[in-house]
Amino acid sequence: MSTAQQVPDILSSEFAANPYPAYRVMRESAPLIWHEATRSYIVSRYEDVERVFKDKAGQFTTDNYDWQIEPVHGKTILQLSGREHAVRRALVAPAFRGSDLQEKFLPVIERNSRELIDTFRHTGSADLVTDYATRFPVNVIADMLGLDKADHPRFHQWYTSVIAFLGNLSGDPQVAADGERTRHEFAEYMLPIIRRRRNELGEDLLSTLCAAEVDGVRMSDEDIKAFCSLLLAAGGETTDKAIASIFANLLMHPDQLAAVREDRSLIPRAFAETLRYTPPVHMIMRQSATEVELSGGTIPAGVTVTCLIGAANRDGERYADPDRFDLFREDLTTTTAFSAAADHLAFALGRHFCVGALLAKAEVETGMNQLLDAMPDVRLAEGFDPVEQGVFTRGPQTLPVRFTPVAG
Ligand code: HEM
């Protein structure tokens, strides 16, 4: 096992500016690191991260979310296991796939995307992050839940603070206090809505949660509030980063952008490669239940393990030329990229595999199609190079583009 001193610290500014060289050093010469500041073991190789996520031998738990997420959301499905997890996950899963997604929610996705594009389609310029990506997914979730979209600025502020809490690796007290405040503000906002909705059930996802019975018992208001808080944060921040990153990657590779513009059936390939190359979530933690043997050494029982998705997705043992963005690569399977059989790790794997993966795909496909129609000659603003930011979640914070408005 290696010590953290051999590679740039994951809390350093050097790492935040560009983690990819550090990921390479970790994979090649320090695949298991004890990191004192986060009191966790860091793993970076594809085979190790995949093994932890799949957890076939039942050696890992998600007890880390007791301190990582519960203080801001309350208890959520991320912390559950076994039948309890399966039953609760099944309450929302149908909304995010199949006929519910296609028939009920696709029109919601299309409308929300169009409304945002309408605000800039005639101007010839936009910031795809601030004008579009940070608003679109959270508006979709708010609509799916039947919440008032006029409250969008609040949802945005809340999910940003929740994600900051989740990624507060350095234990910044201000970030912790903001997270705590968000929990109270969200409860004050949501609990009266939940009580009203119980009496006026509709077709929305919040009504489904209000009506649902788990073993003959209705979920408590507090449980429903926690679920909504998770959906807004998990579905907002991640897809926001994904949309910004797919555009940044394509704008930086104009030949691939041209190919996608001509043949829209390539969008899922471009999205899958974006999830591999620049995943929105760079790290996910687990707790070891037993001693575990990994490629870089042995992890004791009862410790936190930090799984570096961003490093594993660029493992040269798994992907040829891993630091190259190539939507045509043959070692990434697009058909399974949005299911638990995915061979990239951006949605994790195993029982907590992202329940919103197909919703994210529908949002990205709709968004890309509508944006490319509205901005056929889209290009980066002159002199601008996209810059990724963030350590836990990561993506461009701004993406100014120029285009010739489409007549009519
Ligand atoms: C590109 C976009 C997305 C990415 C990269 C992403 C990433 C992830 C990851 C890595 C996990 C696993 C967490 C863990 O195992 O500890 C996860 C779980 C989850 N995601 Fe996503 N997500 C995305 C979109 C969404 C959307 C749109 C929703 C829907 C609202 C959503 C809802 C959830 C939920 C509820 C879980 C917990 C599942 C469980 O515990 O069984 N995600 N996501």
Side-chain angles (χ1 to χ4, degrees):
M1 209 213 14
S2 311
T3 57
Q5 286 80 23
Q6 294 166 266
V7 285
D9 190 322
I10 60 167
L11 300 181
S12 67
S13 52
E14 181 191 352
F15 182 86
N18 182 5
Y20 301 106
Y23 287 159
R24 176 179 289 278
V25 177
M26 289 181 193
R27 282 189 314 260
E28 288 174 1
S29 54
L32 183 63
I33 296 175
W34 167 249
H35 187 252
E36 184 60 36
T38 54
R39 303 207 54 75
S40 75
Y41 285 83
I42 301 178
V43 295
S44 48
R45 287 184 178 161
Y46 185 95
E47 65 169 292
D48 290 336
V49 175
E50 179 192 38
R51 156 120 190 253
V52 177
F53 284 161
K54 283 192 172 165
D55 189 28
K56 287 202 172 131
Q59 293 170 308
F60 294 94
T61 72
T62 50
D63 289 351
N64 50 294
Y65 286 127
D66 295 358
W67 50 268
Q68 232 185 336
I69 272 195
E70 190 168 337
V72 280
H73 283 316
K75 197 160 183 124
T76 72
I77 54 169
L78 275 170
Q79 292 156 271
L80 303 179
S81 59
R83 186 173 172 280
E84 202 186 357
H85 170 256
V87 169
R88 299 232 171 179
R89 185 176 157 114
L91 295 177
V92 293
F96 298 144
R97 60 165 195 248
S99 59
D100 268 14
L101 177 59
Q102 287 304 318
E103 287 155 29
K104 211 163 133 187
F105 294 119
L106 198 55
V108 174
I109 295 172
E110 287 168 348
R111 177 169 42 78
N112 275 288
S113 173
R114 199 172 311 109
E115 280 171 8
L116 289 169
I117 297 173
D118 282 347
T119 64
F120 58 76
R121 70 168 76 241
H122 304 295
T123 66
S125 71
D127 185 325
L128 289 181
V129 175
T130 54
D131 295 335
Y132 187 81
T134 58
R135 296 163 192 258
F136 171 42
V138 77
N139 285 5
V140 169
I141 297 284
D143 257 7
M144 288 176 82
L145 285 167
L147 300 177
D148 191 345
K149 240 183 355 184
D151 295 326
H152 169 257
R154 287 207 262 178
F155 299 142
H156 183 257
Q157 185 200 326
W158 284 332
Y159 87 62
T160 307
S161 132
V162 165
I163 295 290
F165 187 94
L166 172 70
N168 189 13
L169 299 175
S170 60
D172 182 334
Q174 187 59 48
V175 172
D178 285 351
E180 188 63 31
R181 199 182 56 244
T182 296
R183 179 186 176 133
H184 290 300
E185 285 178 6
F186 190 67
E188 257 172 41
Y189 173 87
M190 238 8 250
L191 291 173
I193 295 177
I194 293 170
R195 280 183 215 118
R196 280 200 301 276
R197 197 66 53 92
R198 284 195 191 280
N199 298 322
E200 297 163 27
L201 292 179
E203 290 293 300
D204 53 70
L205 197 51
L206 181 57
S207 298
T208 307
L209 293 173
C210 287
E213 291 191 356
V214 177
D215 293 334
V217 179
R218 290 252 163 117
M219 282 207 286
S220 69
D221 293 359
E222 186 59 34
D223 277 355
I224 294 174
K225 182 221 77 184
F227 220 138
C228 295
S229 181
L230 173 66
L231 292 178
L232 282 165
E237 168 86 4
T238 52
T239 315
D240 147 359
K241 296 273 185 291
I243 293 170
S245 294
I246 189 172
F247 257 96
N249 289 333
L250 289 172
L251 288 162
M252 296 290 281
H253 298 85
D255 49 332
Q256 297 186 49
L257 176 59
V260 171
R261 191 188 299 117
E262 287 310 306
D263 177 1
R264 304 296 176 84
S265 72
L266 292 175
I267 294 172
R269 288 188 84 109
F271 185 29
E273 173 65 347
T274 292
L275 289 170
R276 181 199 70 81
Y277 181 70
T278 46
V281 181
H282 267 238
M283 51 186 81
I284 284 289
M285 294 179 175
R286 289 288 186 264
Q287 209 69 21
S288 61
T290 63
E291 190 177 272
V292 188
E293 194 72 43
L294 292 177
S295 79
T298 304
I299 298 177
V303 296
T304 304
V305 183
T306 299
C307 300
L308 295 182
I309 293 173
N313 270 358
R314 289 197 185 198
D315 191 332
E317 297 289 315
R318 176 62 187 76
Y319 299 105
D321 202 358
D323 292 320
R324 188 163 55 94
F325 177 80
D326 177 9
L327 68 89
F328 296 106
R329 67 170 52 249
E330 283 172 2
D331 48 9
L332 180 67
T333 323
T334 314
T335 44
T336 54
F338 310 97
S339 75
D343 49 21
H344 64 83
L345 303 169
F347 292 125
L349 293 169
R351 82 176 76 87
H352 293 283
F353 176 84
C354 178
V355 74
L358 285 171
L359 172 62
K361 176 174 179 259
E363 291 177 338
V364 168
E365 277 186 297
T366 303
M368 285 291 289
N369 268 312
Q370 291 189 2
L371 285 165
L372 290 175
D373 287 345
M375 319 182 295
D377 62 349
V378 64
R379 59 207 176 266
L380 285 167
E382 217 174 87
F384 181 81
D385 275 335
V387 180
E388 287 181 14
Q389 280 181 42
V391 170
F392 202 96
T393 58
R394 191 168 173 86
Q397 293 294 304
T398 175
L399 202 56
V401 294
R402 303 287 178 264
F403 56 94
T404 311
V406 175

